[in-house]
Amino acid sequence: FFSSRRRHTRYISVTGVQTCALPIFAVLLHPVMPLSTETLWESLGVREYLGELKDQRISKVNEWGQLKAGSLVVKTAPLFPRLEESSVG
């Protein structure tokens, strides 16, 4: 899949940054998308050490690296389920 070790290292780096951003997105979007962000919070498994999503403060969201290294992201229900053609319009 990767043609070089450098590409693989870059992939790991980018994926890590994206994953670290997810708890931040969850906190910022929670007021307007509570159900989806609760699902995301559960998927990230951060409730154990960061607490409930509803208790998070936007003023603290700039603290990068809240997701612990080695955290296991679990599969949950889709955040945005696909709409069937018959239910559209």
Side-chain angles (χ1 to χ4, degrees):
F1 179 70
F2 297 104
S3 61
S4 71
R5 182 167 178 77
R6 183 175 176 208
R7 277 190 168 180
H8 182 263
T9 301
R10 176 77 175 143
Y11 171 80
I12 297 298
S13 176
V14 169
T15 304
V17 169
Q18 291 170 341
T19 306
C20 285
L22 291 175
I24 295 170
F25 294 146
V27 172
L28 293 175
L29 293 171
H30 188 64
V32 294
M33 301 176 73
L35 298 177
S36 293
T37 54
E38 282 289 347
T39 302
L40 176 59
W41 199 252
E42 182 176 325
S43 176
L44 295 172
V46 294
R47 184 175 284 120
E48 180 180 311
Y49 55 90
L50 291 180
E52 297 294 325
L53 179 55
K54 65 181 175 64
D55 297 331
Q56 303 304 307
R57 298 290 164 246
I58 290 176
S59 60
K60 302 268 185 178
V61 80
N62 65 343
E63 296 174 9
W64 190 256
Q66 294 181 30
L67 191 63
K68 289 184 178 180
S71 293
L72 181 63
V73 177
V74 297
K75 187 172 184 173
T76 58
L79 295 177
F80 309 104
R82 182 181 302 246
L83 294 176
E84 298 298 324
E85 282 192 43
S86 61
S87 66
V88 178

